[in-house]
Amino acid sequence: VPRTPERPRGCGVVTLLTDFGLDGHHAGVLHGVILGVNPAARVVDLSHGVPPGDLAHAAWSLLWSRRFFPPGTVHVAVVDPGVGTPRRAVAASAGGQLFVGPDNGVLSFALADAGDARAVSLPVSAGPGISATFHGRDVFAPAAARLSLGTPLARLGPPLADVVRLPRPIAARRPDGAVAGEIVAVDRWGNLVTSVTADDLRRAGMGPGSVVRVGRRVIRGLRRCYGEVAPGEAAALVNSNGHLEIAVNRGRADERFAAGRGTAAVVSRR
Amino acid sequence: VPRTPERPRGCGVVTLLTDFGLDGHHAGVLHGVILGVNPAARVVDLSHGVPPGDLAHAAWSLLWSRRFFPPGTVHVAVVDPGVGTPRRAVAASAGGQLFVGPDNGVLSFALADAGDARAVSLPVSAGPGISATFHGRDVFAPAAARLSLGTPLARLGPPLADVVRLPRPIAARRPDGAVAGEIVAVDRWGNLVTSVTADDLRRAGMGPGSVVRVGRRVIRGLRRCYGEVAPGEAAALVNSNGHLEIAVNRGRADERFAAGRGTAAVVSRR
Amino acid sequence: VPRTPERPRGCGVVTLLTDFGLDGHHAGVLHGVILGVNPAARVVDLSHGVPPGDLAHAAWSLLWSRRFFPPGTVHVAVVDPGVGTPRRAVAASAGGQLFVGPDNGVLSFALADAGDARAVSLPVSAGPGISATFHGRDVFAPAAARLSLGTPLARLGPPLADVVRLPRPIAARRPDGAVAGEIVAVDRWGNLVTSVTADDLRRAGMGPGSVVRVGRRVIRGLRRCYGEVAPGEAAALVNSNGHLEIAVNRGRADERFAAGRGTAAVVSRR
């Protein structure tokens, strides 16, 4: 795994993405475990607010975040409804970063995006010190800490060829030239993030005059930012992660359009 | 900007104050951007719980927090409903610390309080790598990281003389000697923080026997701490930021007094 | 206090456990105070989501977290409804770690568990710079920062022999051989954590065929993990902190069983 020259060995960044919430001590304990193994690690809470068990939410978050972290960063994602069952545990390298989590697809968008993923299977012994219900603490955090110290991936377990992949909605070009996608995420402000990317729009020749249909509602024009429309008005724009998004300036698009994950979003020339 | 001698160059503290919430990956990504530029920065989440778009909430929080951070700290405040519009971006030094954010007033209480503010205008090019909707990630975090490395403020942009100021409620002395202010913040416990400061009270000769009126309700006496009144009783006291506050011991003053931001709060001798 | 050899003096971990929530700047300010005293401290948010004033919640969290942090860690717990009243402030060492907080029992489960606790009374002068309402910022964080620098405990104040202890529910063996406990915590997923420990179960000869009664409801069998029962089914298992827990796989046990803290939980052979 490549490392930036200015980052001394062992001072790497470790990010945490979980559905633990912040009301309990579960997220904080991960910091303790990591700092116990690697006192110089920089542990960053990417988010602990993944809706409980929501693998797709976490997979998108990781995909959209990873490129803003330095080379060598170790990303830990623990959304793990199957903890303690025979589901496998995985550590992987991809795109110059490292990834650790349950083998249930939570890492798969990020791994697929990087293109050069290599994975190993983390041993999950049920021995002393390994609970059957908190592998974030007992399996994933220790593995991440070791990786942040520079331990080679291959040292953590045998190669794993068939990492579980989560189905990923991808926009499709329709015969009439339209780009047909769907809403894949709703953010804190009620903005509707679609599976349609800036690349999809470019390839289909869409531009400022294009029209977006969300369910049965129509939004005319592609904007550049929320403030380009008056407060209370809807805007379709390419968001900061390169995805088409439908927003209401200073309002909530999810409520306005009664839309959520899975709702169809179609872009056409007019 | 002065730095403490024991803090080596580049190890500075960077604080983050946003309305991003913690459920998404937006706050976490700022850590990644900053650590990518300055691997030794100490990034502190001041809060990501500013109500969406609430500039005054953030401006007060920054004002009340800054003096508890070391010299040289870089404070990033991103409450930015106008992102992508021609609003300016600003970096400033004041009181031995540095401040970065949109030029919409969010920094203005802290800058005014320090008295010696100098500001520059951050360039916001719409080039590659700069989104039109997430300047926290693409403009403010990188600027803060550079400042935390010791880059001089003047290197970040041309001087900016007329930083936008947010209107700041200040208590007034009435002809009858009373101090007339208003509620400017409600905290997590339902405590009502007013614009009346300890200085205002001292100058007006208020003391333990003074009387506070919130809307039409009366609280008799100024206390020193919540526990000085019985559980369920209301207390008026000077809070830890030097502002008059109305609280209900182990209860919620906002509900008891049906009061919120903007409600009048008047202190008189009797 | 023992320190790991690889952790240089002053780079110690400081954890924060409070009921401040994350919407205000109160939690963030603690980081600033600590980094102002010890720029090399690693400050970890254990949680700021303790329900307001809930001492037992915080005491259990600290007990269940401490062993996952490195030797020399300084734990700060601020759940402090009596702030400003004559309640004492305490710093203590126990089990190779350090603890700081109000002397109201919030530290007592962790101190009792370690067995070798020594405590001192922190002076709480009402002088300048010490508010009467925010000792987390003005008393506890500075004391913790000094301890993290290696300042000996005895330097912080005179010995304190009679630290306040919170009543701690402990399971009891009944004449008929059953283990009678109660629910002591409900976590984010609605899981019901009981006062019955793995040791209690072992000593009473309980095993996979045992039966748990929560209020009037019966759960048959002790499981190893949530996924051992079908989604929607209830499972009793020993959780990752060694306590008997009642869960509903992908559901909420607190709602299913209309149970909460204080509800009886009894384990019997059949």
Side-chain angles (χ1 to χ4, degrees):
Chain A
V1 174
R3 289 182 167 270
T4 51
E6 75 274 21
R7 182 180 301 279
R9 186 181 165 85
C11 294
V13 176
V14 179
T15 79
L16 306 176
L17 176 66
T18 79
D19 61 356
F20 298 169
L22 290 168
D23 284 351
H25 56 283
H26 297 82
V29 158
L30 300 186
H31 288 248
V33 170
I34 292 167
L35 291 171
V37 175
N38 179 3
R42 311 300 296 263
V43 188
V44 172
D45 296 302
L46 188 51
S47 175
H48 298 286
V50 174
D54 192 338
L55 295 173
H57 180 112
W60 286 114
S61 286
L62 193 58
L63 173 67
W64 291 330
S65 302
R66 67 170 189 84
R67 65 189 175 101
F68 299 101
F69 284 85
T73 293
V74 184
H75 299 285
V76 183
V78 190
V79 179
D80 196 11
V83 64
T85 65
R87 72 99 184 82
R88 297 174 304 190
V90 63
S93 71
Q97 298 184 329
L98 295 148
F99 299 85
V100 177
D103 185 27
N104 59 13
V106 69
L107 306 174
S108 63
F109 293 1
L111 295 182
D113 196 58
D116 61 347
R118 280 187 316 126
V120 303
S121 179
L122 292 174
V124 183
S125 55
I130 311 268
S131 71
T133 54
F134 196 0
H135 285 181
R137 185 190 71 190
D138 301 332
V139 174
F140 302 123
R146 290 180 63 197
L147 290 171
S148 77
L149 280 169
T151 303
L153 185 65
R155 213 70 90 66
L156 268 64
L160 183 62
D162 56 335
V163 172
V164 171
R165 284 162 183 270
L166 211 64
R168 176 171 164 184
I170 288 177
R173 190 77 172 277
R174 291 201 317 204
D176 66 358
V179 180
E182 66 184 78
I183 293 163
V184 295
V186 180
D187 72 15
R188 146 176 237 212
W189 298 273
N191 299 327
L192 305 167
V193 183
T194 73
S195 57
V196 179
T197 66
D199 277 351
D200 294 329
L201 295 173
R202 197 179 309 119
R203 279 196 293 262
M206 299 298 168
S210 297
V211 170
V212 182
R213 282 176 179 79
V214 176
R216 293 178 179 183
R217 305 286 293 267
V218 176
I219 300 111
R220 301 200 171 272
L222 297 185
R223 312 290 174 164
R224 217 177 54 83
C225 66
Y226 309 120
E228 265 183 39
V229 299
E233 277 188 26
L237 49 77
V238 173
N239 76 6
S240 61
N241 297 310
H243 280 246
L244 180 72
E245 179 177 306
I246 292 92
V248 168
N249 188 17
R250 309 201 187 191
R252 294 192 67 92
D254 57 345
E255 295 173 0
R256 170 78 56 87
F257 298 106
R261 243 193 287 178
T263 304
V266 178
V267 193
S268 53
R269 297 265 177 88
R270 47 176 239 135
Chain B
V1 173
R3 290 183 165 269
T4 51
E6 74 275 22
R7 184 179 299 279
R9 185 182 166 86
C11 293
V13 177
V14 179
T15 79
L16 306 176
L17 175 66
T18 80
D19 61 356
F20 299 169
L22 289 168
D23 284 350
H25 56 283
H26 297 82
V29 159
L30 300 185
H31 289 247
V33 170
I34 292 166
L35 291 171
V37 174
N38 179 3
R42 311 300 295 262
V43 189
V44 172
D45 296 304
L46 189 50
S47 176
H48 298 286
V50 175
D54 191 339
L55 296 172
H57 180 113
W60 286 115
S61 285
L62 193 57
L63 173 66
W64 291 330
S65 302
R66 68 169 189 83
R67 66 190 175 101
F68 299 101
F69 284 85
T73 293
V74 185
H75 298 285
V76 183
V78 190
V79 180
D80 196 11
V83 63
T85 65
R87 72 99 183 84
R88 297 175 304 190
V90 64
S93 71
Q97 297 184 329
L98 295 148
F99 299 84
V100 177
D103 185 26
N104 59 13
V106 70
L107 306 175
S108 63
F109 294 1
L111 295 182
D113 196 57
D116 61 346
R118 280 188 315 126
V120 303
S121 179
L122 291 175
V124 182
S125 56
I130 311 269
S131 72
T133 54
F134 196 0
H135 285 181
R137 184 190 71 191
D138 301 332
V139 174
F140 302 122
R146 289 180 63 196
L147 290 171
S148 77
L149 279 169
T151 302
L153 184 66
R155 211 70 91 67
L156 267 65
L160 183 63
D162 56 335
V163 172
V164 171
R165 282 161 183 273
L166 210 64
R168 176 170 163 186
I170 287 178
R173 189 78 172 278
R174 290 199 321 204
D176 66 358
V179 180
E182 64 184 78
I183 292 163
V184 296
V186 181
D187 73 15
R188 146 175 238 213
W189 299 274
N191 299 327
L192 305 167
V193 183
T194 73
S195 57
V196 179
T197 66
D199 277 351
D200 294 329
L201 295 173
R202 197 179 309 119
R203 280 196 293 262
M206 300 300 169
S210 297
V211 170
V212 182
R213 282 176 179 78
V214 176
R216 292 177 179 184
R217 306 285 293 268
V218 176
I219 300 110
R220 300 199 172 273
L222 298 185
R223 313 288 175 164
R224 217 177 54 83
C225 66
Y226 310 120
E228 265 184 37
V229 298
E233 277 188 26
L237 49 78
V238 173
N239 76 6
S240 61
N241 297 311
H243 280 247
L244 179 72
E245 180 177 306
I246 293 92
V248 169
N249 188 16
R250 310 202 186 190
R252 294 192 66 92
D254 57 345
E255 295 172 1
R256 170 78 56 87
F257 298 107
R261 245 195 286 179
T263 304
V266 178
V267 193
S268 53
R269 298 265 176 89
R270 50 180 234 130
Chain C
V1 174
R3 289 182 167 271
T4 51
E6 76 276 20
R7 183 180 299 279
R9 186 182 165 83
C11 293
V13 176
V14 180
T15 79
L16 306 176
L17 176 67
T18 80
D19 62 355
F20 299 169
L22 290 168
D23 285 351
H25 56 284
H26 297 82
V29 159
L30 300 186
H31 289 248
V33 169
I34 292 166
L35 291 171
V37 174
N38 179 2
R42 311 301 295 262
V43 189
V44 172
D45 296 304
L46 188 50
S47 175
H48 298 285
V50 174
D54 192 337
L55 296 172
H57 180 113
W60 285 115
S61 285
L62 193 57
L63 173 67
W64 292 329
S65 302
R66 68 169 188 84
R67 65 189 176 103
F68 298 100
F69 285 85
T73 293
V74 185
H75 298 285
V76 183
V78 190
V79 179
D80 196 12
V83 62
T85 65
R87 73 98 183 84
R88 297 174 305 190
V90 64
S93 71
Q97 299 184 328
L98 296 148
F99 299 85
V100 177
D103 184 27
N104 59 13
V106 70
L107 306 175
S108 63
F109 293 1
L111 295 183
D113 196 58
D116 62 346
R118 281 187 316 126
V120 303
S121 179
L122 291 174
V124 182
S125 54
I130 311 268
S131 72
T133 54
F134 196 0
H135 285 180
R137 184 189 71 191
D138 301 333
V139 174
F140 303 122
R146 290 180 63 198
L147 290 171
S148 77
L149 280 168
T151 303
L153 184 66
R155 210 73 89 65
L156 267 65
L160 183 62
D162 55 336
V163 172
V164 171
R165 283 162 184 271
L166 210 64
R168 176 171 163 186
I170 288 179
R173 190 76 173 276
R174 289 198 322 203
D176 65 358
V179 179
E182 65 184 80
I183 292 162
V184 295
V186 181
D187 73 15
R188 142 174 242 214
W189 299 274
N191 298 327
L192 306 167
V193 183
T194 74
S195 58
V196 178
T197 66
D199 277 351
D200 294 329
L201 295 174
R202 198 177 310 119
R203 279 195 294 262
M206 299 298 169
S210 298
V211 169
V212 181
R213 282 177 180 78
V214 176
R216 293 179 180 183
R217 306 285 294 268
V218 176
I219 300 111
R220 301 199 171 274
L222 297 184
R223 312 290 175 162
R224 218 178 53 84
C225 66
Y226 309 120
E228 264 183 39
V229 299
E233 277 189 27
L237 48 78
V238 172
N239 77 6
S240 60
N241 298 310
H243 281 248
L244 179 72
E245 179 177 306
I246 292 93
V248 169
N249 188 15
R250 311 204 186 188
R252 294 192 66 93
D254 57 345
E255 296 173 0
R256 170 79 55 88
F257 297 107
R261 245 195 286 177
T263 303
V266 178
V267 193
S268 54
R269 296 265 176 90
R270 48 180 236 133

